[in-house]
Amino acid sequence: DTAVSQTPKYLVTQMGNDKSIKCEQNLGHDTMYWYKQDSKKFLKIMFSYNNKELIINETVPNRFSPKSPDKAHLNLHINSLELGDSAVYFCASSQRRQGTSEAFFGQGTRLTVV
Amino acid sequence: AQSVTQPDIHITVSEGASLELRCNYSYGATPYLFWYVQSPGQGLQLLLKYFSGDTLVQGIKGFEAEFKRSQSSFNLRKPSVHWSDAAEYFCAVGAGNNNDMRFGAGTRLTVKP
């Protein structure tokens, strides 16, 4: 059973479209994240949710909107896609406790905007 | 905010040779430190972590890392590298109670036969 699963794994779309990436975790964790990995492999945190509450919201264009319907799901919706949005997007989860706990990552969604 | 520097973008070692990947962090208090590995086309897998206690931590796949507060470092080591260790390695630092984890730029490891 996959701990953190993302769908789709690959997404090719045209500029200007709106798309969503879904993420689900079955680890019982209370914190979920979205990270963006660019072509140089740099990983940048975008959002973090704890118990469905947004706790980290980095400087990300407001075309990106996370939605957490429950603790086990964190979806990422992207409006008006641009070429620069092409990247691999990783979902992750962790259990919040004193300090920072390790995150478990999904397999990633490779988004290509053409 | 915390930050991580991995000075080496790319390292090549021969199979069977020892390995050390460098990681320096910046954070005002006690950091929570992690090493992750990413194989091509895959997600990130945790190799090991340091929260407190013994400064030498053991991880999976024969890796270890040593926390040195005086040098703000958390270098990853392996005594004998296998061809399957070729991958991208990320050091990360967490701070505070909000699970805010920041990653270094990564070090790509190539293993020569």
Side-chain angles (χ1 to χ4, degrees), chain B residues 3-95:
Chain B
S3 65
V4 178
T5 302
Q6 292 179 247
D8 305 305
I9 296 174
H10 184 202
I11 283 183
T12 299
V13 299
S14 298
E15 191 168 15
S18 63
L19 170 70
E20 182 168 26
L21 302 182
R22 296 184 290 165
C23 172
N24 293 98
Y25 68 90
S26 173
Y27 183 58
T30 301
Y32 296 79
L33 296 162
F34 309 84
W35 274 100
Y36 283 84
V37 60
Q38 183 181 25
S39 298
Q42 300 297 313
L44 280 76
Q45 181 183 22
L46 180 71
L47 285 175
L48 47 78
K49 61 190 179 189
Y50 171 79
F51 288 170
S52 64
D54 194 347
T55 56
L56 183 63
V57 292
Q58 302 297 320
I60 63 171
K61 305 185 180 188
F63 285 93
E64 66 178 27
E66 186 171 13
F67 170 59
K68 293 185 177 180
R69 185 186 299 276
S70 61
Q71 298 177 19
S72 297
S73 69
F74 188 57
N75 294 348
L76 181 72
R77 301 194 294 247
K78 186 170 185 177
S80 178
V81 168
H82 187 262
W83 64 266
S84 60
D85 293 325
E88 193 87 21
Y89 290 80
F90 292 93
C91 181
V93 59

Coordinates of all heavy atoms in Angstrom, one line a residue, chain B residues 3-95:
Chain B
S3 N 18.3 27.5 6.7 CA 18.7 27.3 5.4 C 19.8 26.2 5.4 O 20.4 25.9 6.4 CB 19.3 28.6 4.7 OG 20.5 29.0 5.4
V4 N 20.0 25.7 4.2 CA 21.0 24.6 4.0 C 21.8 24.8 2.8 O 21.3 25.2 1.8 CB 20.2 23.2 3.8 CG1 21.2 22.1 3.6 CG2 19.4 22.9 5.0
T5 N 23.1 24.5 2.9 CA 24.0 24.6 1.8 C 24.7 23.3 1.6 O 25.3 22.7 2.5 CB 25.1 25.7 2.1 OG1 24.5 26.9 2.3 CG2 26.1 25.8 0.9
Q6 N 24.6 22.8 0.4 CA 25.4 21.6 0.0 C 26.4 22.1 -1.1 O 26.0 22.4 -2.2 CB 24.4 20.6 -0.6 CG 23.5 20.0 0.4 CD 22.6 18.9 -0.2 OE1 21.4 19.1 -0.3 NE2 23.1 17.8 -0.6
P7 N 27.7 22.2 -0.7 CA 28.7 22.8 -1.5 C 29.0 22.1 -2.8 O 29.4 22.7 -3.8 CB 29.9 22.9 -0.6 CG 29.4 22.6 0.8 CD 28.2 21.8 0.6
D8 N 28.8 20.8 -2.8 CA 29.1 20.0 -4.0 C 27.9 19.7 -4.8 O 27.0 19.0 -4.4 CB 29.8 18.7 -3.5 CG 31.0 19.0 -2.6 OD1 31.9 19.7 -3.1 OD2 31.0 18.4 -1.5
I9 N 27.9 20.2 -6.1 CA 26.8 19.9 -6.9 C 26.8 18.5 -7.5 O 25.8 17.8 -7.6 CB 26.8 20.9 -8.1 CG1 26.6 22.3 -7.6 CG2 25.7 20.6 -9.1 CD1 26.7 23.4 -8.7
H10 N 28.1 18.0 -7.8 CA 28.2 16.7 -8.4 C 29.5 16.1 -7.8 O 30.5 16.7 -7.8 CB 28.3 16.9 -9.9 CG 28.4 15.6 -10.6 ND1 28.9 15.5 -11.9 CD2 28.0 14.3 -10.3 CE1 28.8 14.2 -12.3 NE2 28.3 13.5 -11.4
I11 N 29.4 14.8 -7.5 CA 30.6 14.1 -7.0 C 30.6 12.7 -7.7 O 29.6 12.1 -7.9 CB 30.5 13.9 -5.5 CG1 30.9 15.1 -4.7 CG2 31.4 12.7 -5.0 CD1 30.9 15.0 -3.2
T12 N 31.8 12.4 -8.1 CA 32.0 11.0 -8.7 C 33.0 10.2 -7.9 O 34.1 10.7 -7.5 CB 32.6 11.2 -10.1 OG1 31.7 11.9 -10.9 CG2 32.8 9.8 -10.8
V13 N 32.6 9.0 -7.5 CA 33.5 8.1 -6.8 C 33.5 6.8 -7.5 O 32.5 6.4 -8.2 CB 33.0 8.0 -5.3 CG1 33.1 9.3 -4.6 CG2 31.7 7.4 -5.2
S14 N 34.5 6.0 -7.2 CA 34.6 4.7 -7.7 C 33.9 3.7 -6.8 O 33.8 3.9 -5.6 CB 36.1 4.2 -7.9 OG 36.8 5.1 -8.8
E15 N 33.3 2.7 -7.4 CA 32.6 1.7 -6.6 C 33.6 1.1 -5.6 O 34.8 0.8 -6.0 CB 32.0 0.6 -7.5 CG 31.1 -0.3 -6.8 CD 30.3 -1.2 -7.7 OE1 30.7 -1.3 -8.9 OE2 29.3 -1.8 -7.2
G16 N 33.2 1.0 -4.4 CA 34.0 0.5 -3.3 C 34.7 1.5 -2.5 O 35.3 1.3 -1.5
A17 N 34.8 2.7 -3.1 CA 35.5 3.8 -2.4 C 34.6 4.4 -1.3 O 33.4 4.2 -1.3 CB 35.9 4.9 -3.4
S18 N 35.2 5.2 -0.4 CA 34.4 5.8 0.6 C 33.8 7.1 0.1 O 34.2 7.7 -0.9 CB 35.3 6.1 1.8 OG 36.3 7.1 1.5
L19 N 32.8 7.6 0.8 CA 32.0 8.7 0.3 C 31.7 9.7 1.5 O 31.4 9.2 2.6 CB 30.7 8.3 -0.3 CG 29.6 9.4 -0.6 CD1 30.1 10.2 -1.8 CD2 28.3 8.8 -0.8
E20 N 31.9 11.0 1.2 CA 31.4 12.0 2.2 C 30.7 13.1 1.4 O 31.3 13.7 0.5 CB 32.5 12.5 3.0 CG 32.0 13.5 4.0 CD 33.1 13.9 5.1 OE1 34.3 13.8 4.8 OE2 32.7 14.3 6.2
L21 N 29.5 13.4 1.7 CA 28.7 14.5 1.1 C 28.6 15.5 2.2 O 28.1 15.2 3.3 CB 27.4 14.0 0.6 CG 27.4 12.9 -0.4 CD1 26.0 12.5 -0.8 CD2 28.2 13.2 -1.6
R22 N 28.9 16.8 1.8 CA 28.9 17.8 2.8 C 27.5 18.6 2.9 O 26.8 18.7 1.9 CB 30.0 18.8 2.4 CG 31.4 18.2 2.5 CD 32.4 19.3 2.3 NE 32.4 19.7 0.9 CZ 33.0 20.9 0.4 NH1 33.6 21.6 1.3 NH2 33.0 21.2 -0.8
C23 N 27.2 19.0 4.1 CA 26.0 19.7 4.3 C 26.3 20.7 5.5 O 26.8 20.4 6.5 CB 24.9 18.8 4.7 SG 23.4 19.7 5.3
N24 N 26.0 22.0 5.2 CA 26.1 23.0 6.2 C 24.7 23.7 6.4 O 24.0 23.9 5.4 CB 27.1 24.1 5.9 CG 28.5 23.5 5.9 OD1 29.1 23.1 4.8 ND2 29.1 23.4 7.0
Y25 N 24.4 24.0 7.6 CA 23.0 24.5 7.9 C 23.2 25.9 8.6 O 24.2 26.2 9.2 CB 22.2 23.6 8.7 CG 22.7 23.4 10.1 CD1 22.2 24.3 11.1 CD2 23.6 22.5 10.4 CE1 22.7 24.2 12.4 CE2 24.1 22.4 11.7 CZ 23.7 23.2 12.7 OH 24.2 23.1 13.9
S26 N 22.1 26.6 8.5 CA 22.1 27.9 9.2 C 20.8 27.9 10.0 O 19.7 27.9 9.4 CB 22.2 29.1 8.3 OG 21.9 30.3 8.9
Y27 N 20.9 28.0 11.3 CA 19.7 28.1 12.2 C 20.2 28.5 13.6 O 21.2 28.0 14.0 CB 18.9 26.7 12.2 CG 17.7 26.8 13.0 CD1 16.7 27.7 12.6 CD2 17.4 26.0 14.1 CE1 15.5 27.8 13.4 CE2 16.3 26.0 14.8 CZ 15.3 27.0 14.5 OH 14.1 27.0 15.2
G28 N 19.4 29.3 14.2 CA 19.8 29.9 15.5 C 19.7 28.9 16.7 O 20.3 29.1 17.7
A29 N 18.9 27.9 16.6 CA 18.7 27.0 17.7 C 19.0 25.6 17.3 O 19.7 25.4 16.2 CB 17.2 27.1 18.2
T30 N 18.7 24.7 18.1 CA 19.0 23.3 17.7 C 18.2 22.9 16.5 O 17.0 22.9 16.5 CB 18.6 22.4 18.9 OG1 19.4 22.8 20.0 CG2 18.9 20.9 18.5
P31 N 18.9 22.5 15.5 CA 18.2 22.1 14.2 C 17.8 20.6 14.3 O 18.2 19.8 15.0 CB 19.3 22.3 13.2 CG 20.5 21.9 13.9 CD 20.3 22.3 15.3
Y32 N 16.8 20.3 13.4 CA 16.4 19.0 13.1 C 17.0 18.7 11.7 O 16.6 19.4 10.8 CB 14.9 18.8 13.2 CG 14.4 19.0 14.6 CD1 14.2 20.3 15.0 CD2 14.1 18.0 15.4 CE1 13.7 20.6 16.3 CE2 13.6 18.2 16.7 CZ 13.4 19.5 17.1 OH 13.0 19.7 18.4
L33 N 17.8 17.7 11.6 CA 18.6 17.5 10.3 C 18.2 16.2 9.7 O 18.0 15.2 10.4 CB 20.1 17.6 10.6 CG 20.5 19.0 11.1 CD1 21.9 18.9 11.8 CD2 20.6 20.0 10.0
F34 N 18.2 16.2 8.4 CA 17.8 15.0 7.6 C 18.7 14.9 6.4 O 19.1 15.9 5.8 CB 16.3 15.2 7.1 CG 15.3 15.5 8.2 CD1 15.2 16.9 8.6 CD2 14.6 14.6 8.9 CE1 14.2 17.2 9.5 CE2 13.7 14.9 9.8 CZ 13.5 16.2 10.2
W35 N 18.8 13.6 5.9 CA 19.3 13.3 4.6 C 18.3 12.5 3.9 O 17.8 11.5 4.4 CB 20.7 12.6 4.7 CG 21.9 13.5 4.8 CD1 22.6 13.8 6.0 CD2 22.5 14.1 3.8 NE1 23.6 14.6 5.7 CE2 23.6 14.8 4.3 CE3 22.3 14.2 2.4 CZ2 24.5 15.6 3.6 CZ3 23.2 15.0 1.7 CH2 24.3 15.7 2.2
Y36 N 18.1 12.9 2.7 CA 17.2 12.1 1.8 C 17.9 11.8 0.5 O 18.8 12.4 0.1 CB 16.0 13.0 1.4 CG 14.9 13.2 2.4 CD1 15.0 14.1 3.4 CD2 13.8 12.4 2.4 CE1 14.0 14.3 4.3 CE2 12.8 12.5 3.4 CZ 12.9 13.5 4.3 OH 11.9 13.6 5.3
V37 N 17.5 10.7 -0.1 CA 18.0 10.2 -1.4 C 16.9 10.2 -2.4 O 15.8 9.8 -2.1 CB 18.8 8.9 -1.3 CG1 17.8 7.8 -0.8 CG2 19.4 8.5 -2.6
Q38 N 17.2 10.6 -3.6 CA 16.2 10.6 -4.7 C 16.9 9.9 -5.9 O 17.8 10.4 -6.5 CB 15.8 12.0 -5.1 CG 14.7 12.0 -6.2 CD 14.4 13.4 -6.6 OE1 15.1 14.4 -6.5 NE2 13.2 13.6 -7.1
S39 N 16.3 8.7 -6.2 CA 16.7 8.0 -7.4 C 16.0 8.6 -8.6 O 14.9 9.2 -8.4 CB 16.5 6.5 -7.3 OG 17.2 6.0 -6.2
P40 N 16.5 8.4 -9.8 CA 15.9 9.0 -11.0 C 14.4 8.6 -11.1 O 14.1 7.5 -11.1 CB 16.7 8.4 -12.2 CG 18.1 8.2 -11.6 CD 17.8 7.7 -10.1
G41 N 13.6 9.7 -11.3 CA 12.2 9.4 -11.5 C 11.4 9.0 -10.3 O 10.3 8.7 -10.4
Q42 N 12.1 9.1 -9.1 CA 11.4 8.7 -7.9 C 11.2 9.8 -6.9 O 11.8 10.9 -7.1 CB 12.3 7.6 -7.2 CG 12.5 6.4 -8.1 CD 11.3 5.6 -8.4 OE1 10.5 5.4 -7.5 NE2 11.1 5.3 -9.6
G43 N 10.5 9.5 -5.9 CA 10.4 10.5 -4.8 C 11.6 10.4 -3.9 O 12.5 9.8 -4.2
L44 N 11.5 11.1 -2.8 CA 12.6 11.2 -1.8 C 12.4 10.2 -0.7 O 11.3 10.0 -0.2 CB 12.7 12.6 -1.2 CG 13.3 13.7 -2.1 CD1 12.4 14.1 -3.2 CD2 13.8 14.8 -1.2
Q45 N 13.5 9.5 -0.4 CA 13.5 8.5 0.6 C 14.4 9.0 1.8 O 15.5 9.4 1.5 CB 13.9 7.2 0.1 CG 13.9 6.0 1.1 CD 14.5 4.7 0.6 OE1 15.2 4.7 -0.4 NE2 14.1 3.6 1.2
L46 N 13.9 8.9 3.0 CA 14.7 9.3 4.1 C 15.8 8.3 4.4 O 15.6 7.1 4.5 CB 13.8 9.4 5.4 CG 14.5 9.8 6.7 CD1 14.9 11.3 6.6 CD2 13.6 9.6 7.9
L47 N 17.1 8.8 4.5 CA 18.2 8.0 4.8 C 18.4 7.9 6.3 O 18.7 6.9 6.9 CB 19.5 8.5 4.1 CG 19.6 8.2 2.6 CD1 20.9 9.0 2.1 CD2 19.7 6.8 2.3
L48 N 18.4 9.1 6.9 CA 18.6 9.2 8.4 C 18.2 10.6 8.9 O 18.0 11.5 8.0 CB 20.1 8.9 8.7 CG 21.2 9.6 7.9 CD1 21.4 11.1 8.3 CD2 22.5 8.9 8.0
K49 N 18.2 10.7 10.2 CA 17.8 12.0 10.8 C 18.5 12.2 12.1 O 18.9 11.3 12.7 CB 16.2 12.0 11.0 CG 15.8 10.9 12.0 CD 14.3 10.8 12.0 CE 13.9 9.6 13.0 NZ 12.5 9.3 12.9
Y50 N 18.6 13.5 12.4 CA 19.2 13.8 13.7 C 18.2 14.8 14.4 O 17.9 15.9 13.9 CB 20.6 14.5 13.6 CG 21.1 15.0 14.9 CD1 21.6 14.2 15.9 CD2 20.9 16.4 15.2 CE1 22.0 14.7 17.1 CE2 21.4 16.9 16.4 CZ 21.9 16.0 17.3 OH 22.3 16.5 18.5
F51 N 17.8 14.4 15.7 CA 17.0 15.3 16.5 C 17.8 15.8 17.7 O 17.7 17.0 18.0 CB 15.7 14.6 16.9 CG 14.7 14.4 15.8 CD1 13.6 13.6 15.9 CD2 14.9 15.0 14.5 CE1 12.7 13.4 14.9 CE2 14.0 14.8 13.5 CZ 12.9 14.0 13.7
S52 N 18.4 14.8 18.4 CA 19.1 15.1 19.6 C 20.0 13.9 20.0 O 19.9 12.9 19.3 CB 18.2 15.5 20.7 OG 17.4 14.4 21.1
G53 N 20.8 14.0 21.0 CA 21.5 12.9 21.5 C 22.8 12.6 20.8 O 23.5 13.6 20.4
D54 N 23.1 11.4 20.6 CA 24.3 11.0 19.9 C 24.5 11.7 18.6 O 23.6 11.7 17.7 CB 24.3 9.5 19.7 CG 25.7 8.9 19.3 OD1 26.6 9.8 19.0 OD2 25.9 7.7 19.4
T55 N 25.6 12.3 18.4 CA 25.8 13.1 17.2 C 26.2 12.3 16.0 O 26.2 12.9 14.9 CB 26.9 14.2 17.4 OG1 28.1 13.5 17.9 CG2 26.5 15.2 18.5
L56 N 26.5 11.1 16.2 CA 26.7 10.2 15.0 C 25.5 9.3 14.8 O 25.1 8.5 15.7 CB 27.9 9.3 15.3 CG 28.4 8.4 14.1 CD1 28.7 9.2 12.9 CD2 29.5 7.5 14.5
V57 N 24.8 9.5 13.7 CA 23.5 8.7 13.5 C 23.7 7.8 12.4 O 24.4 8.0 11.4 CB 22.4 9.7 13.2 CG1 22.0 10.5 14.5 CG2 22.6 10.6 12.1
Q58 N 23.1 6.6 12.6 CA 23.1 5.6 11.5 C 21.8 5.6 10.8 O 20.8 5.8 11.3 CB 23.3 4.2 12.2 CG 24.6 4.1 13.1 CD 25.8 4.3 12.3 OE1 26.0 3.7 11.1 NE2 26.8 5.0 12.8
G59 N 22.0 5.3 9.5 CA 20.8 5.3 8.6 C 20.6 4.0 7.9 O 21.3 3.0 8.2
I60 N 19.8 4.0 6.9 CA 19.6 2.9 6.1 C 20.7 2.8 5.0 O 21.4 3.7 4.7 CB 18.2 2.9 5.4 CG1 18.1 4.1 4.5 CG2 17.1 2.9 6.5 CD1 16.8 4.0 3.6
K61 N 20.8 1.6 4.4 CA 21.7 1.4 3.3 C 23.2 1.6 3.6 O 24.0 1.9 2.8 CB 21.4 2.3 2.1 CG 19.9 2.1 1.6 CD 19.6 2.9 0.3 CE 18.2 2.7 -0.1 NZ 17.9 3.3 -1.4
G62 N 23.5 1.5 4.9 CA 24.9 1.7 5.3 C 25.4 3.1 5.5 O 26.6 3.3 5.6
F63 N 24.5 4.0 5.4 CA 24.9 5.5 5.5 C 24.9 5.9 7.0 O 24.2 5.4 7.8 CB 23.9 6.4 4.8 CG 24.1 6.3 3.3 CD1 23.4 5.5 2.5 CD2 25.0 7.2 2.7 CE1 23.6 5.4 1.1 CE2 25.2 7.1 1.3 CZ 24.5 6.2 0.5
E64 N 25.8 6.8 7.3 CA 25.8 7.5 8.6 C 26.1 9.0 8.4 O 26.5 9.4 7.3 CB 26.9 6.9 9.5 CG 28.3 7.1 9.0 CD 29.4 6.6 10.0 OE1 29.1 5.6 10.7 OE2 30.5 7.1 10.0
A65 N 25.8 9.8 9.4 CA 26.0 11.2 9.3 C 26.4 11.7 10.7 O 26.0 11.1 11.7 CB 24.8 12.0 8.8
E66 N 27.2 12.7 10.8 CA 27.7 13.2 12.0 C 27.3 14.7 12.1 O 27.6 15.5 11.3 CB 29.2 13.1 12.2 CG 29.7 13.5 13.5 CD 31.2 13.2 13.7 OE1 31.9 12.8 12.8 OE2 31.6 13.3 14.9
F67 N 26.7 15.0 13.2 CA 26.3 16.4 13.5 C 27.4 17.1 14.3 O 27.8 16.6 15.3 CB 25.0 16.4 14.4 CG 24.6 17.8 14.9 CD1 24.4 18.8 14.1 CD2 24.5 17.9 16.3 CE1 24.1 20.1 14.6 CE2 24.1 19.2 16.8 CZ 23.9 20.2 16.0
K68 N 27.9 18.2 13.7 CA 28.9 19.0 14.4 C 28.4 20.4 14.6 O 28.4 21.2 13.6 CB 30.2 19.0 13.6 CG 30.9 17.6 13.5 CD 32.2 17.7 12.8 CE 32.9 16.3 12.8 NZ 34.2 16.3 12.1
R69 N 28.0 20.7 15.8 CA 27.4 22.0 16.1 C 28.4 23.1 15.8 O 28.1 24.1 15.3 CB 26.9 22.0 17.5 CG 26.2 23.3 17.8 CD 25.9 23.4 19.3 NE 25.0 22.3 19.7 CZ 23.7 22.3 19.6 NH1 23.1 23.4 19.1 NH2 22.9 21.3 20.0
S70 N 29.7 22.9 16.2 CA 30.7 23.9 16.1 C 30.9 24.3 14.6 O 31.4 25.4 14.3 CB 32.0 23.5 16.7 OG 32.5 22.3 16.1
Q71 N 30.7 23.4 13.7 CA 30.9 23.6 12.3 C 29.6 23.8 11.5 O 29.6 24.0 10.3 CB 31.7 22.5 11.7 CG 33.1 22.3 12.3 CD 33.8 21.1 11.7 OE1 33.5 20.6 10.7 NE2 34.9 20.7 12.4
S72 N 28.5 23.7 12.3 CA 27.2 23.8 11.6 C 27.1 22.9 10.4 O 26.6 23.2 9.3 CB 26.9 25.2 11.1 OG 26.8 26.1 12.2
S73 N 27.5 21.6 10.7 CA 27.6 20.7 9.6 C 26.9 19.4 9.9 O 26.7 19.0 11.1 CB 29.0 20.4 9.2 OG 29.7 19.6 10.2
F74 N 26.5 18.7 8.9 CA 25.8 17.4 9.1 C 26.2 16.6 7.8 O 25.4 16.4 6.9 CB 24.3 17.6 9.2 CG 23.6 16.3 9.5 CD1 23.9 15.6 10.7 CD2 22.5 15.9 8.8 CE1 23.1 14.5 11.0 CE2 21.8 14.7 9.1 CZ 22.1 14.0 10.2
N75 N 27.4 16.1 7.8 CA 27.9 15.4 6.6 C 27.5 14.0 6.6 O 27.5 13.3 7.6 CB 29.5 15.5 6.6 CG 29.9 17.0 6.3 OD1 29.1 17.9 6.0 ND2 31.2 17.2 6.6
L76 N 27.3 13.5 5.4 CA 26.8 12.1 5.2 C 28.0 11.3 4.7 O 28.8 11.7 3.8 CB 25.7 12.1 4.1 CG 25.1 10.7 3.7 CD1 24.2 10.3 4.9 CD2 24.3 10.8 2.5
R77 N 28.1 10.1 5.2 CA 29.3 9.2 4.9 C 28.8 7.8 4.6 O 27.8 7.3 5.1 CB 30.3 9.2 6.0 CG 30.8 10.6 6.4 CD 32.1 10.5 7.3 NE 31.7 9.9 8.6 CZ 31.8 10.6 9.7 NH1 32.2 11.9 9.7 NH2 31.6 10.0 10.9
K78 N 29.6 7.1 3.8 CA 29.5 5.7 3.6 C 30.8 5.1 3.3 O 31.6 5.7 2.5 CB 28.5 5.4 2.4 CG 28.2 4.0 2.3 CD 27.1 3.7 1.3 CE 26.7 2.2 1.3 NZ 25.6 1.9 0.3
P79 N 31.2 4.1 4.0 CA 32.6 3.5 3.9 C 32.9 2.9 2.5 O 34.0 3.0 2.1 CB 32.7 2.5 5.0 CG 31.3 2.3 5.5 CD 30.4 3.4 5.1
S80 N 31.9 2.3 1.9 CA 32.1 1.6 0.6 C 30.9 1.8 -0.3 O 29.8 1.3 0.0 CB 32.4 0.2 0.9 OG 32.6 -0.5 -0.4
V81 N 31.0 2.5 -1.4 CA 29.9 2.9 -2.2 C 29.6 1.8 -3.2 O 30.5 1.1 -3.7 CB 30.2 4.2 -2.9 CG1 29.2 4.5 -4.0 CG2 30.2 5.4 -2.0
H82 N 28.3 1.6 -3.4 CA 27.8 0.6 -4.4 C 27.3 1.3 -5.6 O 26.8 2.4 -5.5 CB 26.8 -0.3 -3.7 CG 26.3 -1.5 -4.5 ND1 25.2 -1.5 -5.2 CD2 26.9 -2.7 -4.6 CE1 25.0 -2.6 -5.8 NE2 26.0 -3.4 -5.5
W83 N 27.3 0.6 -6.7 CA 26.8 1.3 -7.9 C 25.3 1.8 -7.8 O 24.9 2.8 -8.3 CB 26.9 0.3 -9.1 CG 26.0 -0.9 -9.0 CD1 26.4 -2.1 -8.6 CD2 24.6 -1.0 -9.4 NE1 25.3 -3.0 -8.6 CE2 24.2 -2.3 -9.1 CE3 23.6 -0.1 -9.9 CZ2 22.9 -2.8 -9.3 CZ3 22.4 -0.6 -10.1 CH2 22.0 -1.9 -9.8
S84 N 24.6 1.0 -6.9 CA 23.2 1.4 -6.7 C 23.0 2.7 -5.9 O 21.9 3.2 -5.7 CB 22.4 0.3 -6.1 OG 23.0 0.0 -4.8
D85 N 24.1 3.2 -5.3 CA 24.0 4.4 -4.6 C 24.0 5.7 -5.5 O 23.7 6.8 -5.0 CB 25.2 4.5 -3.6 CG 25.2 3.5 -2.5 OD1 24.1 3.2 -2.0 OD2 26.2 3.0 -2.1
A86 N 24.2 5.5 -6.7 CA 24.1 6.6 -7.7 C 22.7 7.3 -7.6 O 21.7 6.6 -7.9 CB 24.5 6.2 -9.1
A87 N 22.7 8.5 -7.3 CA 21.4 9.2 -7.0 C 21.6 10.6 -6.7 O 22.8 11.1 -6.7 CB 20.6 8.5 -5.9
E88 N 20.6 11.3 -6.4 CA 20.7 12.7 -5.9 C 20.4 12.7 -4.4 O 19.5 12.0 -3.9 CB 19.6 13.6 -6.6 CG 19.7 15.1 -6.4 CD 20.6 15.7 -7.4 OE1 20.8 15.1 -8.5 OE2 21.1 16.8 -7.2
Y89 N 21.3 13.4 -3.7 CA 21.2 13.4 -2.2 C 20.9 14.8 -1.7 O 21.5 15.8 -2.1 CB 22.5 12.9 -1.6 CG 22.7 11.4 -1.8 CD1 23.2 11.0 -3.1 CD2 22.4 10.5 -0.9 CE1 23.4 9.6 -3.3 CE2 22.6 9.1 -1.1 CZ 23.1 8.7 -2.3 OH 23.2 7.3 -2.6
F90 N 19.9 14.8 -0.8 CA 19.5 16.1 -0.3 C 19.6 16.2 1.2 O 19.2 15.2 1.9 CB 18.0 16.4 -0.6 CG 17.7 16.6 -2.1 CD1 17.4 15.5 -2.9 CD2 17.8 17.8 -2.7 CE1 17.1 15.7 -4.2 CE2 17.6 18.0 -4.0 CZ 17.2 16.9 -4.8
C91 N 20.2 17.2 1.7 CA 20.2 17.5 3.1 C 19.1 18.5 3.4 O 18.7 19.4 2.6 CB 21.6 18.2 3.5 SG 21.8 18.5 5.2
A92 N 18.4 18.3 4.6 CA 17.3 19.2 4.9 C 17.4 19.6 6.4 O 17.9 18.8 7.2 CB 16.0 18.5 4.6
V93 N 16.9 20.8 6.7 CA 16.9 21.2 8.1 C 15.5 21.7 8.4 O 14.8 22.3 7.6 CB 17.9 22.4 8.3 CG1 17.6 23.6 7.4 CG2 17.9 22.8 9.8
G94 N 15.0 21.2 9.6 CA 13.7 21.6 10.1 C 13.9 22.5 11.3 O 14.9 22.4 12.0
A95 N 12.9 23.3 11.5 CA 13.0 24.2 12.7 C 11.6 24.5 13.3 O 10.6 24.5 12.5 CB 13.6 25.5 12.3

